[in-house]
Amino acid sequence: MERKLLLLGLLRRQKMHGYQLHEFIDRYLSTCVDLKKSTAYYLLDKMAAEGLISESEAQVGNRPPRRVYSLTEVGERHFQALLRQNLAGYWPAYFAGDLGLAFLDHMEADEAMALLQERRRLLVQALARAESAPQHPGSMQYVVAHQKAHLLAELRWLDEVLAELAGPGKS
Amino acid sequence: MERKLLLLGLLRRQKMHGYQLHEFIDRYLSTCVDLKKSTAYYLLDKMAAEGLISESEAQVGNRPPRRVYSLTEVGERHFQALLRQNLAGYWPAYFAGDLGLAFLDHMEADEAMALLQERRRLLVQALARAESAPQHPGSMQYVVAHQKAHLLAELRWLDEVLAELAGPGKS
DNA sequence: TATAACATGTAACAAGTTACATGATTTC
DNA sequence: GAAATCATGTAACTTGTTACATGTTATA
């Protein structure tokens, strides 16, 4: 699971507590990952139980004590393995929007175009968000850059479909 | 959920039983959807309980009776709503491969390149599969076409990354 | 006659989300 | 003093997968 790779990788740079990890991901990687707070705690618990990370408590004022995690040696080896496995693998992306396109011939071209124009608007919005997202230095930039490349390809593709709907065979 | 849209859309064309639906999806849409048999049965059960589809038994020989489903009127309305919602929406794709890239600076460029070359090989393989996949006429072609467009964009992107790793600033 | 394809079903599990609950501290 | 942010936690739920079990019929 890639989320494990992510958490392990972040903890490899420095020990962090759950809230902090969630915050970091939300800030720098939200274009790519949507990790809920509960899920972060859930995964950290599990990985601590598996011995991949170790926790230590840190009190600040009267707040709930922070549970600060750091990589164990087992965790480090696990990270190395996961990273290599991830880089050497290809996982097909899942496009939820494709299934609508599959049934495009169940409706009039005019309505389809109007609906897809709305999709286009959201796409452009997403692109703008990606452009203006804060960047973390280093190879984490690849994540945002890839997202941008993908969104641009998606936009071109969508415009092709729209053109075809507008005038089938008109070109 | 898009899988519901898919099943409803297929049942809209003609009544089918679970096995048949799974087979169709596997044949024509495997580039885009991986719907397990159990999951198909599971969803059909649920949608039947919700009144979106109705079932009738059909016996052929001594085999387990086929449970043939067809769209109800409620199901038809649901399909129309789901389709419009899908076409007008944009759902960011999730790229499992990004998280490896995020930690590229945790390893030597040489090893990273070797690993990414393996990823590239798998990508090219996936592209070949998409090229040679059987096509269903009509707008279902969009699904495969989109997949191909995406795979090509992915290949270009990967080659850019590889070039950058090969000679940072060499261009 | 063995194997693949046909056809369904289910119990147990895994992953993750939702919605809630708690309470301290900072900021306006 | 109200609202946002900090910080965690958990029980119930949803979604879907895995791994099995069952038996029939066509094909090599």
Side-chain angles (χ1 to χ4, degrees):
Chain A
M1 232 304 101
E2 309 78 32
R3 292 158 121 97
K4 273 193 187 179
L5 172 61
L6 173 58
L7 292 176
L8 291 176
L10 293 179
L11 290 177
R12 192 170 188 262
R13 328 185 126 214
Q14 57 173 308
K15 36 173 67 177
M16 290 204 250
H17 55 93
Y19 196 89
Q20 204 178 354
L21 282 159
H22 173 260
E23 207 175 34
F24 185 95
I25 293 167
D26 221 42
R27 180 163 173 73
Y28 294 114
L29 296 169
S30 56
T31 46
C32 160
V33 193
D34 178 28
L35 185 75
K36 307 293 181 197
K37 252 183 285 186
S38 319
T39 306
Y41 290 125
Y42 162 72
L43 286 173
L44 289 170
D45 270 0
K46 228 177 55 168
M47 291 199 295
E50 289 169 341
L52 301 179
I53 54 181
S54 62
E55 51 178 281
S56 63
E57 302 244 314
Q59 191 82 38
V60 174
N62 247 352
R63 290 185 183 168
R66 292 174 176 168
R67 303 175 59 181
V68 179
Y69 295 94
S70 50
L71 227 57
T72 64
E73 249 182 68
V74 181
E76 167 68 15
R77 279 200 298 277
H78 203 71
F79 169 77
Q80 296 294 343
L82 281 180
L83 178 54
R84 277 156 184 78
Q85 188 190 321
N86 182 287
L87 288 172
Y90 170 66
W91 291 272
Y94 172 63
F95 299 98
D98 277 4
L99 290 181
L101 293 176
F103 298 117
L104 218 53
D105 51 12
H106 290 230
M107 74 166 57
E108 296 297 322
D110 279 352
E111 189 179 5
M113 285 176 64
L115 293 165
L116 287 177
Q117 282 294 352
E118 172 63 11
R119 175 184 288 195
R120 191 181 190 284
R121 206 180 55 76
L122 294 172
L123 226 175
V124 169
Q125 231 172 55
L127 196 51
R129 259 200 311 282
E131 301 281 5
S132 69
Q135 302 249 345
H136 189 83
S139 58
M140 224 161 263
Q141 306 239 12
Y142 283 125
V143 175
V144 180
H146 176 248
Q147 191 72 18
K148 276 188 224 164
H150 161 68
L151 287 168
L152 276 171
E154 203 61 19
L155 194 58
R156 275 196 297 273
W157 153 260
L158 187 53
D159 281 336
E160 269 177 52
V161 174
L162 280 166
E164 205 176 311
L165 284 174
K170 267 191 192 166
S171 59
Chain B
M1 233 302 101
E2 308 78 32
R3 293 160 121 98
K4 273 194 188 178
L5 171 61
L6 173 57
L7 291 175
L8 291 175
L10 293 179
L11 290 175
R12 192 169 188 261
R13 327 186 126 214
Q14 58 173 307
K15 37 173 69 179
M16 291 203 248
H17 55 94
Y19 197 89
Q20 205 177 354
L21 283 159
H22 173 260
E23 208 175 35
F24 184 95
I25 292 167
D26 222 42
R27 180 164 172 71
Y28 294 114
L29 296 170
S30 57
T31 46
C32 160
V33 193
D34 177 28
L35 186 73
K36 308 290 181 199
K37 254 184 281 187
S38 319
T39 307
Y41 289 125
Y42 162 72
L43 285 173
L44 289 169
D45 270 359
K46 227 177 59 167
M47 290 199 295
E50 289 168 342
L52 301 179
I53 55 182
S54 63
E55 51 177 281
S56 63
E57 303 243 315
Q59 191 83 36
V60 173
N62 247 353
R63 291 185 182 169
R66 293 174 176 167
R67 303 174 59 180
V68 178
Y69 296 94
S70 50
L71 227 56
T72 64
E73 248 180 68
V74 181
E76 167 69 15
R77 279 199 300 276
H78 204 71
F79 168 77
Q80 296 294 343
L82 280 180
L83 179 55
R84 276 155 186 80
Q85 188 190 321
N86 183 286
L87 287 173
Y90 169 67
W91 290 273
Y94 173 62
F95 300 98
D98 278 4
L99 290 181
L101 293 177
F103 297 116
L104 218 53
D105 50 13
H106 288 230
M107 74 166 55
E108 296 297 322
D110 279 351
E111 188 180 5
M113 285 175 63
L115 293 164
L116 287 177
Q117 282 293 352
E118 172 63 12
R119 176 184 288 194
R120 191 181 190 283
R121 205 179 57 75
L122 294 172
L123 225 174
V124 169
Q125 230 173 58
L127 195 53
R129 259 200 311 282
E131 300 282 5
S132 69
Q135 301 249 345
H136 189 85
S139 56
M140 224 161 263
Q141 307 239 12
Y142 283 125
V143 176
V144 180
H146 176 248
Q147 193 71 18
K148 276 188 224 163
H150 161 66
L151 288 168
L152 277 171
E154 204 61 18
L155 194 58
R156 274 196 298 274
W157 154 260
L158 187 53
D159 281 337
E160 267 177 54
V161 174
L162 280 167
E164 205 176 312
L165 283 175
K170 267 192 193 166
S171 59

